[in-house]
Amino acid sequence: MAQADISIKPTELQGGHGHPDKWKWYDYFTFNVDHKVIGIQYLVTSFLFYLVGGFMAVLMRTELATPNSDFLSPELYNAFLTNHGTIMIFLWIVPAAIGGFGNFLIPLMIGARDMAFPKLNAIAFWLNPPAGAVLAASFFLGGGAQSGWTSYPPLSEITANLPQTLWCVALIMVGTSSILGSVNFLVTIWKMRVPSMAWDQMPLFCWAMVATSVLALFATPVLAAAMVLLLFDINFGTSFFKPDAGGNVVVYQHLFWFYSHPAVYLMILPIFGIMSEVIPVHARKPIFGYKAIAYSSLTICLVGLFVWVHHMFTSGTAPWMRIFFTISTLIVAVPTGIKIFSWVATLWGGKIRYTTAMLFAVGLLSMFVFGGLSGVTLGAAPFDIHVHDTYYVVGHFHYVLYGGSVFGIYSGIYHWFPKITGRMLNEPLGKVHFVLTFIGTILTFTPMHNLGMQGMPRRVAMYDPQFAHLNQLVTVGAYILAVSVIPFYFNVIWSWMKGKEAGPNPWNAMTMEWTTDSPPIIENWEVLPVLTHGPYAYGMERSDEVGPAGEPLPASRS
């Protein structure tokens, strides 16, 4: 089939839609069904929750600067500990990476005018702010939930009942939001791509969102079920998890971790997608191993559903289960390693532009490799039992989630800010932001591995004085991280109002979202675009017809 045959018939802007020509500022505070507005709503809201969760972390690190409990009461420390983890995972990283970038980019990347179910999309977003309000209310109605972000029973059933109930309600709300959003992403990508875009011509961010959505649909209902059963135990006298009434606390752990370990992949898979978009654009080189990266996302999705028990090696897990879940956990490292290799190979020999987006992407590579290697050690049952519930675990997952997910979100913001707002971010301020974040991350989370190896338990406000010096170093790092957000937030606000105008494609990128105005018009294009080249066809003449990784397209694509 020749080039002319695969081109779609241009579709004119839909008439009679009743939309204004351009959204006003107050439209972003309403029940708007435009996917771009909803994406921005997700991003702005999640960055506000990032400040709240980060503020709690700074207060906790101030408490831990000294061995004694002399800054926060133990009850307040436990409440901050619980809600810091909850907010950072469920109201910051997940909604920013999936809801924010996914909603804004997916229709633009596949040549669609909107998501498949716009009203459902708006409902999914508007479940998040009330969930945050419910968590905030729990502080005024009993001092906040205090049983940790895992909320293991029986602890969660014997601490303050009303705040714990509100915590469960908040998680059910964000879980429902995640399920609705996942259905929407899958249907949109499946049914609304421009007719000329085959599966193996989609941008890799879309592949990552497919894997993320499938994983969320399998795992999230299990967490919702655990929350409902816990609510019944706390409020209605049931005994699903009460050991003194015939319940089983380990069942809760199975239900919780069946979701909460894959939740790591829910957070990191969209970030992998962002990496696969940012690196080739700023290295000016076709992505290396397009199909390997795409299929490795699906592999991570599949294997990620069979690793949850490695969180329970000390919960009376049978030896044969330890062997099985050690192996399955280690296998996850293979598709992840394929992605790392592909990104490094893409950088190799590229004409790299050291933009802030690229710096955060390369920073993520180093952070995630370190966090991934410490994750491999924790996947092995003998070592995991040795360091279980120590600061080694805290250092590992913060390297993965902060050094991975947060660096990826920053990289994506610097890359797509011109498309979202029509203006460029200030690069010198961005580099200050990167340097502070990089130094702060290393200072904060690296010493935690040493603390864990020496036996310091996590989730405690008081500790043995022998750990004081390393804890003070961690606290200094946390303060640097806190300061690092100042140039970023200033940069975003100032540049959005006064920044240099970006034009439609300031990076000379080749994915479809860059073929429309910045910011995109309502319904995205006056006339839908025609697919004439792959998303990573750098080094080719624009008139050539090439595949996603830069290779010539086959003569026939059906």
Side-chain angles (χ1 to χ4, degrees):
M1 187 179 295
Q3 165 64 29
D5 296 322
I6 66 166
S7 300
I8 63 170
K9 180 181 179 181
T11 303
E12 300 292 342
L13 187 66
Q14 301 297 305
H17 48 66
H19 292 160
D21 294 334
K22 184 179 179 182
W23 298 122
K24 305 293 184 184
W25 65 268
Y26 47 79
D27 290 316
Y28 292 85
F29 295 89
T30 63
F31 189 84
N32 196 302
V33 297
D34 186 328
H35 73 96
K36 301 182 293 297
V37 174
I38 293 171
I40 293 172
Q41 287 174 328
Y42 267 112
L43 285 171
V44 172
T45 307
S46 61
F47 269 97
L48 291 176
F49 282 122
Y50 179 38
L51 289 180
V52 176
F55 180 67
M56 291 180 179
V58 169
L59 293 180
M60 286 190 294
R61 285 314 315 176
T62 302
E63 168 59 53
L64 292 170
T66 60
N68 297 319
S69 178
D70 47 15
F71 180 67
L72 300 173
S73 68
E75 294 78 13
L76 193 56
Y77 179 88
N78 288 338
F80 283 160
L81 178 75
T82 301
N83 287 278
H84 162 73
T86 305
I87 290 171
M88 288 304 206
I89 291 173
F90 296 104
L91 292 171
W92 154 232
I93 297 177
V94 169
I98 301 176
F101 288 106
N103 273 293
F104 192 92
L105 293 173
I106 289 295
L108 288 168
M109 283 184 162
I110 63 174
R113 296 203 182 279
D114 207 328
M115 298 287 284
F117 308 114
K119 291 183 180 178
L120 198 68
N121 205 20
I123 292 171
F125 165 73
W126 282 105
L127 285 170
N128 285 270
V134 168
L135 282 182
S138 72
F139 277 89
F140 299 100
L141 300 173
Q146 299 177 23
S147 54
W149 84 279
T150 57
S151 286
Y152 283 170
L155 181 61
S156 54
E157 296 180 344
I158 61 176
T159 51
N161 283 356
L162 180 56
Q164 191 64 53
T165 298
L166 294 174
W167 184 87
C168 293
V169 170
L171 257 63
I172 292 171
M173 295 171 74
V174 295
T176 304
S177 168
S178 180
I179 292 171
L180 297 180
S182 297
V183 171
N184 219 347
F185 286 128
L186 286 176
V187 175
T188 301
I189 294 173
W190 187 278
K191 303 294 290 186
M192 298 180 68
R193 286 173 289 131
V194 289
S196 54
M197 181 182 283
W199 280 97
D200 62 356
Q201 294 168 305
M202 283 198 312
L204 287 165
F205 180 77
C206 300
W207 277 99
M209 288 302 299
V210 169
T212 303
S213 300
V214 171
L215 191 59
L217 287 180
F218 275 103
T220 309
V222 178
L223 176 71
M227 292 301 106
V228 170
L229 297 179
L230 186 60
L231 272 177
F232 272 71
D233 270 13
I234 293 173
N235 296 288
F236 303 114
T238 57
S239 54
F240 295 106
F241 308 126
K242 292 177 179 174
D244 56 349
N248 190 332
V249 295
V250 177
V251 171
Y252 175 87
Q253 294 187 29
H254 279 290
L255 295 174
F256 181 84
W257 286 114
F258 185 81
Y259 166 82
S260 294
H261 188 82
V264 174
Y265 306 120
L266 293 181
M267 289 180 271
I268 204 66
L269 278 171
I271 301 303
F272 287 165
I274 291 173
M275 289 283 286
S276 298
E277 302 301 330
V278 170
I279 288 178
V281 171
H282 295 267
R284 312 305 303 160
K285 190 180 170 191
I287 193 81
F288 182 89
Y290 170 90
K291 290 185 179 178
I293 294 176
Y295 298 156
S296 66
S297 293
L298 301 180
T299 307
I300 291 172
C301 164
L302 177 65
V303 181
L305 290 169
F306 297 95
V307 301
W308 79 94
V309 173
H310 76 237
H311 290 274
M312 303 165 58
F313 283 153
T314 61
S315 301
T317 305
W320 70 267
M321 290 182 69
R322 288 178 178 174
I323 295 172
F324 173 82
F325 284 98
T326 291
I327 294 172
S328 63
T329 301
L330 298 182
I331 286 176
V332 174
V334 176
T336 306
I338 289 173
K339 290 182 182 295
I340 300 289
F341 176 79
S342 297
W343 295 329
V344 173
T346 304
L347 289 170
W348 185 269
K351 297 177 181 177
I352 298 174
R353 297 181 296 198
Y354 292 100
T355 60
T356 308
M358 188 59 148
L359 290 176
F360 271 107
V362 175
L364 184 153
L365 271 176
S366 60
M367 297 290 175
F368 193 80
V369 166
F370 186 90
L373 290 175
S374 61
V376 170
T377 63
L378 287 172
F383 186 82
D384 179 89
I385 292 170
H386 177 67
V387 298
H388 186 78
D389 265 346
T390 71
Y391 258 80
Y392 187 93
V393 181
V394 182
H396 155 68
F397 71 71
H398 277 89
Y399 252 96
V400 172
L401 294 186
Y402 197 94
S405 296
V406 177
F407 271 56
I409 290 172
Y410 280 143
S411 179
I413 290 292
Y414 281 98
H415 181 69
W416 280 293
F417 188 86
K419 179 54 59 181
I420 294 172
T421 66
R423 295 182 183 275
M424 303 295 292
L425 281 168
N426 181 280
E427 278 291 313
L429 266 181
K431 289 180 170 63
V432 171
H433 173 218
F434 168 75
V435 170
L436 288 173
T437 306
F438 193 81
I439 294 173
T441 302
I442 292 174
L443 267 183
T444 304
F445 304 122
T446 305
M448 288 182 178
H449 295 80
N450 301 72
L451 287 168
M453 291 293 289
Q454 294 172 24
M456 178 174 168
R458 60 173 172 164
R459 299 173 180 143
V460 293
M462 294 179 287
Y463 54 85
D464 192 298
Q466 66 172 310
F467 305 125
H469 293 308
L470 281 176
N471 269 292
Q472 288 162 2
L473 188 61
V474 172
T475 299
V476 170
Y479 288 163
I480 294 175
L481 278 183
V483 171
S484 74
V485 303
I486 295 174
F488 173 73
Y489 279 81
F490 175 80
N491 196 0
V492 167
I493 295 171
W494 184 86
S495 297
W496 204 327
M497 295 185 297
K498 303 287 186 181
K500 176 186 173 185
E501 291 190 3
N505 190 4
W507 308 123
N508 290 320
M510 304 190 77
T511 41
M512 204 170 277
E513 76 272 22
W514 300 101
T515 63
T516 186
D517 294 339
S518 300
I521 62 173
I522 296 172
E523 295 197 359
N524 299 341
W525 291 275
E526 292 288 346
V527 177
L528 283 179
V530 176
L531 187 67
T532 58
H533 53 73
Y536 313 108
Y538 300 104
M540 303 285 181
E541 293 295 331
R542 291 300 179 88
S543 58
D544 292 346
E545 188 186 5
V546 291
E551 77 280 10
L553 285 177
S556 176
R557 293 176 296 166
S558 57

